[in-house]
Amino acid sequence: MSLFSCEDANRLISKALDAELTLSGRLLLYGHLAICSTCRRVRVQISFLHAAVARLGVQADRDGQTHGCLSPQARERIQRALDSRNDDGFRARETD
Amino acid sequence: MPNPPMGPSTAAIDPARWLNEHGDSLFRYALARVRRSDVAEDLVQETFLSALRNQAAFARNSSERTWLVGILKHKIVDHLRRQFRETPTASLADDECLKRLFDGTGHWNGNPAKWTNPAAALEDAEFWTILSRCIERLPESLAGVFVLRALDDIPSADVCAVLGISAANLHVILHRARLQLWRCLNVHWFDGTRGLP
């Protein structure tokens, strides 16, 4: 077994997505990738995943989705909270 | 869903319309990040109440939605910070997922499969549902950090500052979250036996 394992390489594959690797880190990682086709493949898959999750974050804000609506109960509760706060606001202004 | 009749409004800000116009959208935004609908509902409510108190701060040159999402983002970060503080860090010591993926010498346990046509997955609505479910299943100790960093693309240094964790911890958490997600997608999408987790 080598001193720098697939598990180690995987740690650096992930780290490279969040920070700049040190020179020795880069040498270790790319040295390993040069001889390990499995880690090369996983690296592409992890990068794909990283990009997909970022896109999901943008999509979550999109309208027109059928799933994930406020339940009627939650809607009612929030409306009540808004109404009561709104009244307070008006009262406060009237007594100013 | 039928919209209740509403009179035309020319006001830049109109709290009476907020729930109908922005409620579901804000809820989805929050749900994708906090993963619990009861918490997401509370955050939407807090956002509206906070917006109500701070109407004067609304900048006319931004849209009502952008302004509300901005407030919601702060509420979400506050929640994730609280949640992270309450999560026992001891759970970071051991990771069953990693143990299954690698053998004692750090080599792959079995050969990870090739993914067939990942680009096509991006066009498939079911893929996005499964990806969301896989994120929902991340353990609490990993989820908050992962959501801030990956879903919202907040720079690592900022995530560390906001959550009060070291860079080393951040890398450990993100590495584990990614591998769990990777494994989840392997099992529930790329293996050919597609189905919700």
Side-chain angles (χ1 to χ4, degrees):
Chain A
M1 91 176 233
S2 63
L3 287 171
F4 188 77
S5 68
C6 294
E7 189 173 357
D8 296 326
N10 225 268
R11 205 171 295 127
L12 291 189
I13 286 170
S14 176
K15 191 177 176 185
L17 293 172
D18 306 303
E20 199 161 329
L21 297 182
T22 60
L23 178 61
S24 63
R26 281 203 300 276
L27 289 174
L28 283 168
L29 176 59
Y30 291 110
H32 181 88
L33 290 176
I35 56 162
C36 180
S37 62
T38 306
C39 284
R40 278 203 300 277
R41 186 195 306 153
V42 171
R43 177 171 178 246
V44 172
Q45 294 174 347
I46 295 277
S47 303
F48 169 86
L49 203 64
H50 184 66
V53 172
R55 204 165 128 182
L56 187 72
V58 178
Q59 278 186 341
D61 193 27
R62 226 175 36 182
D63 272 328
Q65 292 187 10
T66 48
H67 66 283
C69 291
L70 279 168
S71 67
Q73 293 87 343
R75 205 167 255 284
E76 204 176 299
R77 186 158 47 83
I78 294 172
Q79 188 62 59
R80 265 203 310 273
L82 271 169
D83 288 346
S84 70
R85 232 28 101 80
N86 232 350
D87 291 347
D88 291 348
F90 287 130
R91 264 199 299 279
R93 248 171 279 153
E94 279 163 13
T95 52
D96 269 348
Chain B
M1 192 187 309
N3 279 322
M6 281 178 295
S9 170
T10 49
I13 266 193
D14 186 357
R17 293 183 291 108
W18 282 355
L19 189 54
N20 274 321
E21 293 193 359
H22 310 297
D24 288 336
S25 173
L26 293 180
F27 174 70
R28 277 195 295 272
Y29 188 93
L31 188 61
R33 286 156 179 81
V34 301
R35 309 173 315 147
R36 274 178 44 188
S37 52
D38 57 333
V39 176
E41 286 164 6
D42 286 348
L43 291 175
V44 171
Q45 176 168 326
E46 279 178 38
T47 298
F48 284 146
L49 293 179
S50 169
L52 214 50
R53 282 193 300 272
N54 297 295
Q55 288 180 56
F58 176 68
R60 299 273 154 169
N61 54 6
S62 89
S63 80
E64 207 174 58
R65 170 73 57 86
T66 309
W67 179 59
L68 290 169
V69 170
I71 297 172
L72 177 60
K73 278 181 184 168
H74 280 109
K75 303 279 175 203
I76 290 171
V77 168
D78 285 345
H79 168 79
L80 294 177
R81 187 190 297 131
R82 253 191 329 267
Q83 179 190 287
F84 190 78
R85 277 208 203 110
E86 288 158 11
T87 313
T89 42
S91 54
L92 272 182
D94 249 1
D95 192 285
E96 285 304 315
C97 177
L98 277 181
K99 274 192 202 151
R100 277 198 303 269
L101 286 174
F102 299 99
D103 65 19
T105 61
H107 287 93
W108 290 102
N109 241 338
N111 221 3
K114 285 198 175 96
W115 287 1
T116 44
N117 208 354
L122 299 177
E123 307 303 323
D124 195 325
E126 202 192 343
F127 170 79
W128 295 105
T129 309
I130 288 176
L131 179 59
S132 303
R133 288 289 189 89
C134 286
I135 295 174
E136 279 167 30
R137 281 160 50 107
L138 287 175
E140 296 266 290
S141 56
L142 307 179
V145 178
F146 180 76
V147 160
L148 285 181
R149 170 71 193 108
L151 209 58
D152 286 323
D153 201 22
I154 295 175
S156 310
D158 295 352
V159 175
C160 287
V162 153
L163 296 179
I165 57 174
S166 67
N169 251 341
L170 177 94
H171 293 311
V172 171
I173 291 170
L174 291 173
H175 172 227
R176 289 180 183 181
R178 287 189 182 115
L179 277 182
Q180 292 206 13
L181 216 53
W182 173 80
R183 192 169 169 276
C184 186
L185 274 186
N186 263 323
V187 172
H188 296 284
W189 181 263
F190 289 106
D191 253 14
T193 50
R194 292 180 185 180
L196 289 175

